[in-house]
Amino acid sequence: MAPVNNNVQINEPKFKVTVVGSGNWGSVASKLIASNTLKLSSFHDEVKMWVFEEILPSGEKLTDVINLTNENVKYLPGIKLGCNVVADPDLENAVRDANMLVFVTPHQFMEGICKRLIGKIRSDAQAISLIKGMEVKKEGPCMISTLISQQLGVNCCVLMGANIANEIAVEKFSEATVGYRGNREIAENWVQLFSTPYFAVSACQDVEGVELCGTLKNVVAIAAGFVDGLDMGNNTKAAIMRIGLREMKAFSKLLFSSVKDSTFFESCGVADLITTCLGGRNRKCAEAFAKNGGKRSFDDLEAEMLQGQKLQGVSTAKEVYEVLKHKGWLEMFPLFTTVHEICTGRLPPTAIVEYSEHAPKFPLVGGPTSFP
């Protein structure tokens, strides 16, 4: 009988993944990840997905239905997530064993989620944020990746791109960008975890640039929706998108001098801006807002049109406006400023291509070209 070699080491999977969030994009992210953890030896097969528990009209709990049917019947109906996705309504339990944490919730909930997780995650955990938005505090704006890093003491990358979730769910080709700071190896782990034949992911050493692209494009999408709602045509919409990209770049570079020009030509930049201004929930609700002459609130439209999903553009426009006002930059960013003033009823939707004595010194179409 051959001797037993007691020195043979069995390679145990190094990484265990939890997705914090289970909305439309969170469910699609879980599907992408779960398809890869089954194939990659460095990852445990099981993917936990934290679900904010809801009672469905049938009286059943959403988590129970997801685990029974392998489908998020509320936020991603008709799509199988993968047999290795396990829904868990207990946040602390969902993250307990994970050392790769994927955050994908509405940005306004993240501070509360982070506070609940302090001291509850593994010391070797890495994080990535798929969240578009920022927190505005008295000391200035705080990106969601920074919030996660500071509150939880973990390195946090970001993933942004031209990613309308329902298209990725049915495996239509799409791209995304992972933004990272210093450790390329960690970024490559995330690229490996998300990449599929229909979801091409690349890495970019510019966390702030990638994240701000994903955040600010929702404000521009609100403007594009106003244009659609007023039936102003494609030329006007193209002008709004160009101005929006210019303001995205200027705002990002004023906040963070490290932001790279090249980032705006990645999927997270111009591609995400284009797809969000052509489709997506922010454009859709802003179109309805303009068609109603601004007489119906965004809260009402969100409740009616999004089946429990959250708008990001309106709240981000408010946050950006607060930063601009605090820093005295309002006149430098006429599009961002006007979007917020339309959303709050100070200006009519038609003001998206107009300006008055109350608006910036220069019109929206045209304007300064000496931005950073």
Side-chain angles (χ1 to χ4, degrees):
M1 186 171 69
V4 176
N5 185 352
N6 292 319
N7 294 321
V8 173
Q9 292 187 345
I10 299 172
N11 290 325
E12 288 288 331
K14 290 191 296 182
F15 304 118
K16 190 167 181 59
V17 185
T18 290
V19 178
V20 179
S22 58
N24 188 234
W25 185 211
S27 297
V28 173
S30 296
K31 177 183 186 287
L32 286 167
I33 290 166
S35 70
N36 281 330
T37 59
L38 289 175
K39 301 170 189 172
L40 299 170
S41 61
S42 54
F43 292 87
H44 286 268
D45 288 353
E46 183 181 272
V47 176
K48 284 275 186 75
M49 180 175 74
W50 175 63
V51 176
F52 180 78
E53 190 67 278
E54 299 180 54
I55 304 300
L56 299 172
S58 64
E60 299 170 287
K61 293 179 178 178
L62 180 57
T63 48
D64 291 342
V65 175
I66 292 172
N67 288 329
L68 184 66
T69 65
N70 193 229
E71 183 181 322
N72 189 333
V73 294
K74 180 165 185 181
Y75 296 110
L76 194 65
I79 302 294
K80 296 299 180 185
L81 301 181
C83 59
N84 51 325
V85 174
V86 177
D88 190 337
D90 184 328
L91 178 60
E92 292 178 22
N93 188 65
V95 304
R96 183 174 292 123
D97 299 324
N99 57 359
M100 294 189 81
L101 299 171
V102 179
F103 289 94
V104 52
T105 68
H107 77 276
Q108 54 265 44
F109 300 146
M110 270 309 298
E111 189 162 19
I113 288 171
C114 284
K115 285 178 179 175
R116 290 173 61 186
L117 291 180
I118 292 172
K120 302 295 186 349
I121 64 173
R122 284 173 51 164
S123 60
D124 64 340
Q126 296 286 333
I128 193 166
S129 171
L130 280 59
I131 299 165
K132 281 102 174 180
M134 66 176 80
E135 292 279 330
V136 176
K137 303 175 182 298
K138 60 176 181 282
E139 58 270 24
C142 177
M143 303 311 298
I144 298 299
S145 65
T146 304
L147 177 74
I148 293 167
S149 292
Q150 290 178 345
Q151 297 253 2
L152 302 182
V154 298
N155 178 68
C156 188
C157 296
V158 297
L159 183 144
M160 306 283 158
N163 303 147
I164 292 178
N166 288 334
E167 295 182 12
I168 302 167
V170 294
E171 304 188 2
K172 293 181 179 178
F173 182 77
S174 181
E175 297 178 313
T177 310
V178 167
Y180 70 99
R181 286 195 169 83
N183 192 324
R184 177 80 188 196
E185 184 180 347
I186 291 170
E188 290 299 338
N189 288 336
W190 290 117
V191 169
Q192 187 181 39
L193 183 62
F194 280 93
S195 294
T196 71
Y198 61 90
F199 194 67
V201 185
S202 59
C204 172
Q205 193 173 1
D206 184 6
V207 168
E208 285 80 14
V210 172
E211 189 168 11
L212 276 163
C213 280
T215 297
L216 298 172
K217 55 92 183 189
N218 283 328
V219 181
V220 186
I222 296 288
F226 294 154
V227 168
D228 287 343
L230 296 167
D231 199 22
M232 290 179 169
N234 291 329
N235 293 340
T236 306
K237 191 169 179 178
I240 290 294
M241 291 165 68
R242 181 194 68 80
I243 295 161
L245 182 62
R246 186 186 65 200
E247 293 196 9
M248 286 168 58
K249 180 183 172 187
F251 185 82
S252 300
K253 291 175 79 74
L254 283 171
L255 284 185
F256 300 100
S257 60
S258 62
V259 168
K260 300 174 181 177
D261 288 349
S262 58
T263 300
F264 295 88
F265 295 95
E266 299 288 343
S267 178
C268 62
V270 64
D272 195 9
L273 176 66
I274 291 168
T275 197
T276 308
C277 289
L278 296 179
R281 68 187 78 157
N282 292 282
R283 189 218 62 81
K284 178 180 177 182
C285 287
E287 179 182 29
F289 181 90
K291 282 183 174 177
N292 283 277
K295 294 182 174 64
R296 292 192 63 192
S297 73
F298 274 103
D299 286 342
D300 285 348
L301 293 168
E302 177 187 88
E304 178 185 305
M305 300 175 71
L306 299 186
Q307 289 79 49
Q309 295 181 68
K310 292 292 180 185
L311 275 179
Q312 300 295 299
V314 175
S315 56
T316 301
K318 178 178 184 290
E319 290 152 358
V320 168
Y321 186 89
E322 288 174 2
V323 174
L324 298 179
K325 186 175 181 181
H326 177 72
K327 292 185 176 290
W329 293 346
L330 287 173
E331 292 188 348
M332 294 170 62
F333 294 89
L335 182 64
F336 287 172
T337 299
T338 301
V339 167
H340 174 67
E341 292 182 338
I342 293 171
C343 289
T344 54
R346 293 181 207 163
L347 291 174
T350 52
I352 199 62
V353 290
E354 295 173 356
Y355 69 107
S356 68
E357 67 273 17
H358 305 295
K361 293 178 181 176
F362 37 78
L364 291 183
V365 179
T369 57
S370 58
F371 282 164

